[in-house]
Amino acid sequence: MISPETIERIKALMEEASVYEEDLEESFILGSGPGGQKTNKTSSVVRLQHEPSGMAVRCGETRSRETNRWLARRTLAEMILEREKGRKSAARQAAEKVRRQKRRRSRKQKQKMLADKHAHSEIKANRRKVSLED
């Protein structure tokens, strides 16, 4: 269940993106995927079509139709803001962060990292106990 505060935040986001209820065409689709018989037999997946922009969103994250309705509206508003104002959604930012983290280092970065490691190992080698036998 979505809290009233969350609904107000979604409405404000829709207002910012100029998404109005009268511009939305809403339909419900039979669910699928994990969740068992309840999901597969009920039409809990929400499909929103925004007529002015021509964008469509499909949301079936939860088993609740009402929750999916609000999540679809939030996703649609984020997509429109992203396209119109160049603002990136939190999900897109997270995906880009993961992509940057997984990216291979350049040759210069790798050489610098290895040089730093070698310098650090030299420092640690100097910490060893001195033996009198040598």
Side-chain angles (χ1 to χ4, degrees):
M1 189 69 189
I2 292 186
S3 68
E5 296 85 23
T6 304
I7 290 174
E8 289 304 316
R9 280 198 308 266
I10 293 171
K11 284 182 180 179
L13 189 65
M14 288 173 63
E15 182 80 27
E16 186 182 348
S18 301
V19 176
Y20 306 105
E21 288 293 331
E22 55 269 9
D23 295 336
L24 297 176
E25 184 180 314
E26 187 174 45
S27 58
F28 303 101
I29 306 167
L30 203 62
S32 64
Q37 190 174 21
K38 169 73 174 157
T39 304
N40 299 332
K41 280 189 158 183
T42 57
S43 298
S44 59
V45 176
V46 177
R47 184 181 176 279
L48 281 181
Q49 176 80 30
H50 186 242
E51 296 301 327
S53 67
M55 296 180 98
V57 172
R58 187 170 177 260
C59 180
E61 291 180 27
T62 67
R63 287 170 44 173
S64 166
R65 179 188 285 187
E66 191 63 27
T67 304
N68 286 336
R69 289 180 74 204
W70 287 108
L71 293 176
R73 281 165 171 73
R74 182 186 67 192
T75 305
L76 179 68
E78 286 175 349
M79 284 174 61
I80 289 174
L81 284 173
E82 190 174 322
R83 188 177 77 179
E84 307 267 326
K85 298 184 178 173
R87 179 191 297 179
K88 293 186 179 171
S89 68
R92 172 82 57 96
Q93 286 176 343
E96 285 182 5
K97 182 178 179 182
V98 168
R99 186 178 50 80
R100 283 192 306 270
Q101 287 172 342
K102 289 185 175 183
R103 186 176 55 201
R104 291 186 65 171
R105 288 187 174 93
S106 68
R107 182 173 291 151
K108 191 172 183 179
Q109 282 177 319
K110 194 169 183 178
Q111 286 174 347
K112 184 180 182 317
M113 179 193 69
L114 291 175
D116 288 344
K117 282 186 171 188
H118 181 71
H120 190 67
S121 71
E122 291 288 325
I123 292 169
K124 288 185 84 171
N126 291 334
R127 291 185 196 154
R128 290 190 196 128
K129 288 184 180 180
V130 179
S131 65
L132 298 176
E133 295 172 6
D134 289 338

